[in-house]
Amino acid sequence: MAITAALVKELRERTGAGMMDCKKALTETNGDLDKAVDLLREKGLAAAAKKAGRIAAEGVVTSYIHGGGRIGVLVEINCETDFVAKTGDFQALAKDIAMQIAASNPAYLNREEVPAEVIEHEKAVLLEQAKQEAEEDVKNGRKPKPAAVLEKMVNGRIEKFYKENCLLEQVFIKDGDKTITDVINENIAKIGENINVRRFVRYGLGEGLEKRNDDFVAEVMASVGK
């Protein structure tokens, strides 16, 4: 049975599990939604949704310094108890997220933080791009794209904007099959407490000044495991 995006979305809404975990569960159960729910529950991955509303006021502020002080990150990760905050699993998660911020430089924590005016500006720019692409198609003898198609193109690119600029929607630098939200949910299931990323700040040496363009993502990834 084909595993559709709608089916994955429904399973995520019912369990709160990560997208890739939902897709894998549906694949293993041949698209049977109820069996997929049971499978995720057995693995503990559906537990994340139940813990999401619990107060997480403990945790750590973790730092990550890269390149001899060229990039610095501070991130606050919250959990429910001081005991969990001191565990190796939680500390490793906090360090991974700090490294993610250093490498991928997100502008926002989640899509709700993106100001409406920023999205409106992006939409205007993307719509103009889509129109220019449509004009090129006509010049090359292709059929003109209707307004509905242009709108769909813009909406798709806005989703890409969120995934590139919002930390919780970014692809995890250590595993391209997971987002940061997926990684957090897996740790909620594993650790047994609600976990939240509250805030972060990233500094780059000489930001705003003219300098050579370094591939910080490659550098950070090269340092993983050292």
Side-chain angles (χ1 to χ4, degrees):
M1 178 180 178
I3 307 304
T4 65
L7 200 59
V8 173
K9 180 182 178 183
E10 185 175 352
L11 184 57
R12 289 194 72 183
E13 289 173 349
R14 286 178 59 173
T15 65
M19 179 182 68
M20 293 308 300
D21 291 317
C22 288
K23 189 173 181 180
K24 289 176 183 177
L26 286 165
T27 301
E28 289 181 35
T29 58
N30 197 30
D32 188 310
L33 196 58
D34 291 331
K35 289 182 179 179
V37 170
D38 290 340
L39 182 60
L40 288 171
R41 289 181 64 190
E42 290 167 7
K43 292 182 177 180
L45 296 173
K50 296 180 180 179
K51 296 179 175 66
R54 294 182 356 195
I55 296 174
E58 296 294 335
V60 295
V61 174
T62 293
S63 64
Y64 177 78
I65 306 299
H66 175 71
R70 293 173 58 210
I71 303 176
V73 170
L74 285 174
V75 57
E76 179 179 348
I77 315 287
N78 296 133
C79 57
E80 296 177 44
T81 65
D82 183 57
F83 172 79
V84 163
K86 294 176 180 177
T87 62
D89 286 338
F90 187 81
Q91 295 281 338
L93 171 65
K95 188 62 70 174
D96 279 345
I97 291 177
M99 189 180 295
Q100 174 81 26
I101 295 166
S104 300
N105 195 16
Y108 310 96
L109 175 61
N110 52 45
R111 64 174 61 196
E112 288 75 25
E113 283 192 357
V114 184
E117 57 268 25
V118 171
I119 295 301
E120 290 306 312
H121 174 74
E122 284 297 315
K123 284 183 176 179
V125 172
L126 293 171
L127 180 58
E128 186 59 33
Q129 288 178 358
K131 287 179 178 178
Q132 290 180 11
E133 290 171 14
E135 290 175 3
E136 285 297 318
D137 285 344
V138 172
K139 289 178 182 178
N140 292 322
R142 302 186 185 94
K143 292 182 179 179
K145 291 183 174 68
V149 172
L150 295 180
E151 183 179 358
K152 189 174 181 179
M153 290 171 62
V154 170
N155 289 338
R157 291 171 184 179
I158 286 293
E159 286 299 313
K160 183 180 178 183
F161 171 86
Y162 285 132
K163 291 174 182 176
E164 290 176 348
N165 292 278
C166 299
L167 173 64
L168 297 183
E169 299 194 29
Q170 285 185 337
V171 173
F172 185 33
I173 58 172
K174 284 186 170 183
D175 187 339
D177 290 332
K178 299 176 183 178
T179 66
I180 292 300
T181 293
D182 292 336
V183 174
I184 291 172
N185 283 339
E186 287 177 359
N187 278 271
I188 290 173
K190 180 180 180 181
I191 292 171
E193 289 193 4
N194 189 21
I195 298 171
N196 292 316
V197 180
R198 186 181 176 211
R199 53 187 171 174
F200 65 87
V201 62
R202 179 187 186 276
Y203 296 104
L205 184 66
E207 281 181 333
L209 303 176
E210 186 176 347
K211 58 181 180 178
R212 63 192 179 93
N213 184 26
D214 293 316
D215 189 347
F216 288 136
V217 177
E219 289 184 16
V220 172
M221 287 303 297
S223 71
V224 173
K226 291 183 179 180

PDB file of all heavy atoms in Angstrom, residues 9 169 176 200 211:
ATOM      1  N   LYS A   9       0.527  12.327   8.084  1.00  0.00           N
ATOM      2  CA  LYS A   9       0.061  13.466   8.869  1.00  0.00           C
ATOM      3  C   LYS A   9      -0.958  13.028   9.910  1.00  0.00           C
ATOM      4  O   LYS A   9      -0.902  13.452  11.078  1.00  0.00           O
ATOM      5  CB  LYS A   9      -0.553  14.519   7.948  1.00  0.00           C
ATOM      6  CG  LYS A   9      -1.063  15.756   8.694  1.00  0.00           C
ATOM      7  CD  LYS A   9      -1.696  16.755   7.736  1.00  0.00           C
ATOM      8  CE  LYS A   9      -2.238  17.956   8.504  1.00  0.00           C
ATOM      9  NZ  LYS A   9      -2.914  18.912   7.603  1.00  0.00           N
ATOM     10  N   GLU A 169      12.347  22.818  12.624  1.00  0.00           N
ATOM     11  CA  GLU A 169      11.989  22.191  11.353  1.00  0.00           C
ATOM     12  C   GLU A 169      13.196  21.836  10.495  1.00  0.00           C
ATOM     13  O   GLU A 169      13.057  21.211   9.446  1.00  0.00           O
ATOM     14  CB  GLU A 169      11.034  23.094  10.572  1.00  0.00           C
ATOM     15  CG  GLU A 169       9.731  23.360  11.321  1.00  0.00           C
ATOM     16  CD  GLU A 169       8.657  23.965  10.442  1.00  0.00           C
ATOM     17  OE1 GLU A 169       8.656  23.704   9.221  1.00  0.00           O
ATOM     18  OE2 GLU A 169       7.802  24.698  10.977  1.00  0.00           O
ATOM     19  N   GLY A 176      20.088  12.920   8.153  1.00  0.00           N
ATOM     20  CA  GLY A 176      19.254  13.615   7.180  1.00  0.00           C
ATOM     21  C   GLY A 176      17.828  13.120   7.091  1.00  0.00           C
ATOM     22  O   GLY A 176      16.999  13.734   6.412  1.00  0.00           O
ATOM     23  N   PHE A 200      17.792  30.528  22.055  1.00  0.00           N
ATOM     24  CA  PHE A 200      19.191  30.357  21.671  1.00  0.00           C
ATOM     25  C   PHE A 200      19.721  31.655  21.078  1.00  0.00           C
ATOM     26  O   PHE A 200      18.958  32.528  20.650  1.00  0.00           O
ATOM     27  CB  PHE A 200      19.346  29.215  20.660  1.00  0.00           C
ATOM     28  CG  PHE A 200      18.682  29.461  19.326  1.00  0.00           C
ATOM     29  CD1 PHE A 200      19.345  30.138  18.311  1.00  0.00           C
ATOM     30  CD2 PHE A 200      17.389  29.023  19.092  1.00  0.00           C
ATOM     31  CE1 PHE A 200      18.733  30.375  17.098  1.00  0.00           C
ATOM     32  CE2 PHE A 200      16.771  29.246  17.876  1.00  0.00           C
ATOM     33  CZ  PHE A 200      17.443  29.927  16.877  1.00  0.00           C
ATOM     34  N   LYS A 211      34.096  39.779   4.859  1.00  0.00           N
ATOM     35  CA  LYS A 211      35.075  38.727   5.125  1.00  0.00           C
ATOM     36  C   LYS A 211      34.880  37.617   4.115  1.00  0.00           C
ATOM     37  O   LYS A 211      33.901  37.570   3.383  1.00  0.00           O
ATOM     38  CB  LYS A 211      34.930  38.186   6.541  1.00  0.00           C
ATOM     39  CG  LYS A 211      33.546  37.632   6.842  1.00  0.00           C
ATOM     40  CD  LYS A 211      33.471  37.126   8.273  1.00  0.00           C
ATOM     41  CE  LYS A 211      32.080  36.572   8.569  1.00  0.00           C
ATOM     42  NZ  LYS A 211      31.983  36.033   9.925  1.00  0.00           N
TER      43      LYS A 211
END
